[in-house]
Structure formats: C-alpha cells, structure tokens
C-alpha cells in the first residue's frame, strides 16, 4: 500500500523517480520556503549539524528562511549559508516536561503562520531537529498540505497504526479510519494550511489538557487525527524520513533525511 505512488484519494506519494526536478525547480524559481525547527535545552547540540546538512541538501538554489526556536539564542553557532538564505533566531520558553516541549511547537506555529510568515514565505516545512539531511530534499516536497509516512509503519496494516484510540481524547481516530501513520518529524504546506493545521492541533492539545489527558504520541497524534479528516495533497515516502536502525531499509533507495542516534537518557534529562 505505502509502496504505491498514489494515495486512495489520488494524491502523489513522492519517491525517487516520480518527479522531474528540472521542471519543478523552474516552476519554483521565485518560491520562498521556510524551515521551522525547535532546539531547546540539550537539543541545541543537534542544531548546527541539522542546519549544515540543510545547506547541503535542502532546497538548494532556492530562497530559504530558517525559523529556529531556542532557549539559548546566544549559544547558536550559525552555519555558513548560501546567498538568499536567512537565519531567524527566536526565543522560546523551555518547558519542563519533554512532552510539552514537543507540543509547544504547535502553539508557536499558530502564532508565526498567522503573524509573520504570510509576508515572508510561501511554503513552510516543519522538522524535528534530531535529524540530518543526507540526500536531496527539494521543491518536489512542496504542496498545499504535505505529510510523511512514518518509516516504522510503511508496511504495516492499518490496525497496527499507533493512532490515539481513546475516544476521550480529541486526537481519537476510530478503528477503520485513517490511511497512513504519519510522523511529525517532517510535514509542511502553504502557510495558511499550516495555520489551519496548527490551530486544530493546538486546540485539541488544550482541550485534552483540560481533561488531564495527553494523546499517546503528543502532537503527532493530533497531526494524524487532522490528516485523517483533511487529506494531504501530497505524501512523502519514507525516503524523506528514515532511521538506519529500522528493518526494510533495502526498499528505500534514497535516505534523504535521517534520524540522529542519541543517548536518550543523556539528552532527555
Ligand atoms: C526532550 C526530552 C525528551 C523528548 C524531547 C525533548 C526535546 C525535544 C528537547 O529537550 N528539546 C527540543 O528542542 N525538542 C524538540 O522536539 C526537537 O525539535 C525535537 O526534534 C522535537 C521532538 O522530540 P524528539 O525528536 O525527541 O521526539 P522523537 O524523535 O521521538 O519524535 C516523534 O515523536 C514526538 C512526539 O513525542 C514528536 O511528535 C516528533 O515530531 C516525532 O518525530
Ligand atoms: Mn526526533
């Protein structure tokens, strides 16, 4: 199913060989692209390798603005950047609980996609920082609403997806619903689409908090819920999110965006 090149609603699933990059690069010669990333507390250590690898592989030759959110603006080491690339550093509070750090991204997205980004960029890409670009990631990933298949679930039956299954949560997805399990480490779209997405997810997170519950995979659960009922216009194959510890890597020819292996105990404390 996920090795297909079209979703059941006929959105393209992007694999190497499904697009002509020269045509797309031309179409996007004046497109402005944002890359949104959080690096708070110990995750600041992932920022420079992330940005340096982005300079090498992400939207090369296009207008890129990095939106970096950190609690240590003064400690950020800036990468060498191509002409036309901009680095914006923004201060953000460091939440105590890691679940809140991760979910805080949705709240910040609601503010920036409404107030700042509409005048600055056309498309926004949101990413985890504990990742490195390892091969081409270009304008073929742009679309109105774009999500990436979770690399651990691309061969799984729907029943195995780790959606939120408790009806009391706003992230609830009933059995039988949903098409893919998406990973929140890479998604994007037009700025107004990410505004709508982040508003919906943030609202769900707040409502759950009022009831003293938290979705099983935090904002990833809310993202999945949103995408069941608001179908992405483009889906990225696991080429765009991979982890070398996973099985079935031989099926993935290009490993474009790789998880960095971390000492969980050490970085999460
Ligand atoms: C600290 C302790 C435990 C977990 C995360 C953090 C932490 C995360 C942090 O101290 N500082 C920080 O900046 N973050 C940001 O949140 C950073 O951008 C990081 O990449 C992102 C998500 O946390 P991460 O990468 O540790 O989570 P994963 O790799 O297990 O990711 C999936 O599940 C998460 C939900 O729990 C998110 O949905 C994420 O988008 C998924 O890829
Ligand atoms: Mn991560």
């Amino acid at each position: 199913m996920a090795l297909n090149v079209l979703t059941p609603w006929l959105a393209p699933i992007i694999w190497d060989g499904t697009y002509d990059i020269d045509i797309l690069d031309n179409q996007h010669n004046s497109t402005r692209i944002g890359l949104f990333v959080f690096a708070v507390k110990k995750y600041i250590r992932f920022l420079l390798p992330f940005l340096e690898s982005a300079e090498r592989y992400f939207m090369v030759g296009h207008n890129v603005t990095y939106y970096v959110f950190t609690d240590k603006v003064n400690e950020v080491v800036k990468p060498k950047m191509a002409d036309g690339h901009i680095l914006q550093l923004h201060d953000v509070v460091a939440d105590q609980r890691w679940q809140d750090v991760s979910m805080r991204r949705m709240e910040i997205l609601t503010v920036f996609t409404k107030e700042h980004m509409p005048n600055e960029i056309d498309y926004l890409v949101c990413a985890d920082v504990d990742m490195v670009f390892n091969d081409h990631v270009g304008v073929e990933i742009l679309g109105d609403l774009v999500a990436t298949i979770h690399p651990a679930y691309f061969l799984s039956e729907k029943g195995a997806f780790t959606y939120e299954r408790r009806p009391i949560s706003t992230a609830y997805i009933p059995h039988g619903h949903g098409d893919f399990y998406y990973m929140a480490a890479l998604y994007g779209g037009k700025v107004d689409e990410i505004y709508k997405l982040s508003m919906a997810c943030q609202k769900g997170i707040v409502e759950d908090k009022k009831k003293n519950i938290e979705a099983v995979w935090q904002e990833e659960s809310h993202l999945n819920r949103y995408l069941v009922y608001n179908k992405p216009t483009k889906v990225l194959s696991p080429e765009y999110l991979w982890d070398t510890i996973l099985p079935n890597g031989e099926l993935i020819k290009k490993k474009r965006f790789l998880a960095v292996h971390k000492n969980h105990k050490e970085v999460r404390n």
Side-chain angles (χ1 to χ4, degrees), residues 43 105 127-131 183 185 259-260 262 268:
Y43 277 52
R105 295 182 293 177
D128 271 14
V129 76
D130 57 341
M131 305 286 301
M183 190 170 186
V260 176
K262 51 189 188 266
R268 292 182 164 181

Side-chain angles (χ1 to χ4, degrees), residues 37-44 46 69 95-99 101-103 105 127-131 150 183-187 216-221 241 259 262 264 267-269:
V37 72
F38 249 54
V40 310
K41 300 197 277 190
K42 289 188 179 174
Y43 277 52
I44 188 110
F46 297 115
F69 295 82
D95 289 289
Q96 281 302 311
R97 293 177 65 247
W98 66 265
Q99 294 90 340
V101 172
S102 189
M103 292 189 293
R105 295 182 293 177
D128 271 14
V129 76
D130 57 341
M131 305 286 301
H150 195 300
M183 190 170 186
L186 187 70
Y187 62 94
V216 57
W217 288 106
Q218 293 79 40
E219 84 296 343
E220 186 169 88
S221 305
L241 265 185
K262 51 189 188 266
H264 286 251
V267 292
R268 292 182 164 181
N269 281 311

Side-chain angles (χ1 to χ4, degrees), residues 12 20 29 43 52 54 62 68 77 89 94 109 141 143 148 162 195 197 207 210 215 224 227 247 254 264 269:
D20 183 327
N29 67 6
Y43 277 52
E52 283 180 336
H62 294 275
V68 171
V77 180
L89 297 176
L109 273 177
I141 75 165
T148 312
T162 58
Y195 173 68
L197 177 153
E207 273 181 46
K210 278 189 204 147
N224 271 281
L227 294 172
K254 271 188 188 254
H264 286 251
N269 281 311

Side-chain angles (χ1 to χ4, degrees), residues 21-247:
I21 194 62
D22 295 329
I23 292 173
L24 295 177
D25 273 337
N26 265 315
Q27 286 174 347
H28 284 288
N29 67 6
S30 59
T31 299
R32 299 162 304 169
I33 303 142
L35 181 57
F36 170 93
V37 72
F38 249 54
V40 310
K41 300 197 277 190
K42 289 188 179 174
Y43 277 52
I44 188 110
R45 69 181 62 178
F46 297 115
L47 185 62
L48 186 60
F50 175 91
L51 292 172
E52 283 180 336
S53 67
E55 279 297 303
R56 201 157 157 215
Y57 293 116
F58 181 78
M59 304 292 170
V60 174
H62 294 275
N63 299 312
V64 176
T65 301
Y66 299 108
Y67 294 90
V68 171
F69 295 82
T70 179
D71 55 336
K72 302 187 188 77
V73 168
N74 296 326
E75 283 176 35
V76 171
V77 180
K78 294 175 184 155
K80 226 176 155 201
M81 290 198 298
D83 286 348
H85 289 197
I86 298 166
L87 178 63
Q88 288 190 16
L89 297 176
H90 297 279
D91 234 306
V92 75
V93 295
D95 289 289
Q96 281 302 311
R97 293 177 65 247
W98 66 265
Q99 294 90 340
D100 292 325
V101 172
S102 189
M103 292 189 293
R104 175 76 62 190
R105 295 182 293 177
M106 282 297 173
E107 187 201 330
I108 299 290
L109 273 177
T110 65
V111 176
F112 274 72
T113 52
K114 181 159 195 259
E115 290 174 11
H116 309 280
M117 291 169 179
N119 303 318
E120 298 173 352
I121 53 171
D122 304 301
Y123 294 91
L124 181 64
V125 177
C126 306
D128 271 14
V129 76
D130 57 341
M131 305 286 301
V132 286
F133 293 91
N134 182 60
D135 205 331
H136 170 93
V137 174
V139 296
E140 76 280 0
I141 75 165
L142 302 180
D144 284 13
L145 184 59
V146 183
T148 312
I149 298 170
H150 195 300
Y153 297 97
F154 76 108
L155 298 173
S156 303
E157 300 287 330
K158 277 185 188 194
F161 294 166
T162 58
Y163 293 149
E164 174 56 66
R165 298 299 192 183
R166 296 168 299 170
I168 192 178
S169 169
T170 58
Y172 171 56
I173 300 173
H175 280 283
H177 289 221
D179 313 281
F180 300 100
Y181 188 73
Y182 303 105
M183 190 170 186
L186 187 70
Y187 62 94
K190 287 253 176 77
V191 171
D192 61 318
E193 288 294 334
I194 301 301
Y195 173 68
K196 287 189 271 180
L197 177 153
S198 58
M199 283 294 287
C201 292
Q202 179 57 19
K203 198 164 162 256
I205 289 167
V206 169
E207 273 181 46
D208 279 8
K209 266 192 191 298
K210 278 189 204 147
K211 288 185 258 172
N212 224 345
I213 50 171
E214 183 171 279
V216 57
W217 288 106
Q218 293 79 40
E219 84 296 343
E220 186 169 88
S221 305
H222 292 275
L223 175 75
N224 271 281
R225 155 87 191 206
Y226 184 82
L227 294 172
V228 170
Y229 304 107
N230 303 269
K231 300 289 189 214
T233 60
K234 185 179 275 188
V235 171
L236 305 182
S237 72
E239 290 179 358
Y240 291 88
L241 265 185
W242 192 254
D243 188 327
T244 55
I245 64 166
L246 289 170

